[in-house]
Structures are given as structure tokens and as C-alpha cells.
Amino acid sequence: MRLLLISDTHLPARARELPPRVWEEVAAADVVVHAGDWVDVALLDELAERSKRLIGVYGNNDGPPLRARLPEVARADLDGVRLAVIHETGAKQGREQRCDAQFPGTDVLVFGHSHIPWDTTTPAGLRLLNPGSPTDRRRQPFCTYQTCRIENGALTDVELHQLPRRG
């Protein structure tokens, strides 16, 4: 099972559309995970239409139309991997301990908000993944997204992808 992880797309405020390479990844993915800050419901509609399966949450910049359709926390069992998705996890200091306490029984937590890619494992074994943003790099050198696989009940092949800078 191939997963595409994205967050903080901020359309159309930070970009008019997702980069073509991200749409190619949507087509290749079995599951697309969006960790919030969509901003415009049109992207939710388009991703829902073009994804085989979409798992998403709302973020702090998402208004009532998105909050009416998306949860604050999403959970799914993907071939034995217990996934959770949330937009914000708080400050990086203490993140691992907070997430262990807030997400017991979870194998992988995908989050966003900071636009800073993140990949760590907590003391309890929870994998924390933040794909950054494919449209708003903020203070990062590149816009980013992540891909990974689930095989035999395990998360594998986690990869951070950098997108070329827009002209």
C-alpha cells in the first residue's frame, strides 16, 4: 500500500494549485493523507475525486465549510498499521512524550502546522511524520511532501521529497 502525506497546502493563499508532481503522486497513491490547512474546500473536493482513498483533518486556518466535513483527528487501520492524523502537536520540545500520552495504541501519527518536515520515533515506538508543505516552504529551503509504504503490517520506505522552487 502506497501512501502520500501532505499538509499545509493553503490554497489559494500560498499557491494557486498543487504542483503537478504532487498530482502524479496522488494518482500513484493508494491512500492520500492531508494533515490540515487546506484553506479552500475546492481542494478537498478535488482530492476526494482524484484519490483512491483520502484521509484528512482540518487545521487552524480552515473555516467552517472544511470543519463541517473534516474531523480534528482522523484514525484508520491500514493493513494492520494504526494511523492517526492531526494538524497540530504543539512545540517541538516535548512532542514525543505528549504524542505518546495523547495517542496510545497508535503506530503512526501524521501532523502538520509548522511546515517543517519531521520524522522521529517516540520512546513508546510511535512514528511521528510531518510532510512539510508542498506549496509554502516558509523558512525551509524547499517545499516538501512525504511518501511511504505499508507492507506486512509495517510502515516502510518513508521518504521526504523536495519540490523544485517555483519561478
Side-chain angles (χ1 to χ4, degrees):
M1 176 182 296
R2 182 175 170 83
L3 281 69
L4 167 63
L5 312 179
I6 58 176
S7 186
D8 298 283
T9 46
H10 292 271
L11 295 182
R14 299 292 183 208
R16 287 188 301 264
E17 58 193 18
L18 287 181
R21 194 158 123 203
V22 174
W23 285 117
E24 291 168 13
E25 294 284 3
V26 168
D30 298 299
V31 180
V32 175
V33 177
H34 192 301
D37 274 3
W38 310 68
V39 178
D40 188 0
V41 74
L43 178 61
L44 173 59
D45 291 338
E46 190 170 6
L47 270 176
E49 182 180 308
R50 294 172 68 170
S51 301
K52 293 175 187 82
R53 179 174 180 187
L54 177 63
I55 299 170
V57 297
Y58 67 77
N60 60 299
N61 285 296
D62 295 327
L66 285 160
R67 289 173 185 242
R69 294 177 54 189
L70 295 164
E72 180 180 13
V73 177
R75 297 179 187 273
D77 186 305
L78 301 176
D79 287 345
V81 173
R82 297 164 298 180
L83 174 81
V85 185
I86 191 168
H87 184 62
E88 295 185 58
T89 60
K92 68 180 179 178
Q93 289 76 22
R95 177 176 286 143
E96 283 82 4
Q97 292 75 18
R98 274 193 316 277
C99 290
D100 275 343
Q102 293 173 352
F103 294 93
T106 301
D107 300 310
V108 178
L109 175 64
V110 178
F111 67 99
H113 188 60
S114 68
H115 299 219
I116 299 171
W118 189 274
D119 183 353
T120 59
T121 302
T122 70
L126 172 61
R127 186 80 175 262
L128 301 177
L129 298 173
N130 183 331
S133 170
T135 55
D136 184 11
R137 63 184 180 89
R138 284 201 184 154
R139 294 173 296 281
Q140 300 303 301
F142 296 96
C143 290
T144 58
Y145 64 93
Q146 289 173 322
T147 57
C148 54
R149 292 189 172 282
I150 294 177
E151 297 176 357
N152 300 317
L155 185 73
T156 65
D157 302 327
V158 176
E159 187 174 351
L160 180 68
H161 301 270
Q162 298 176 344
L163 290 161
R165 291 190 184 210
R166 295 190 308 257

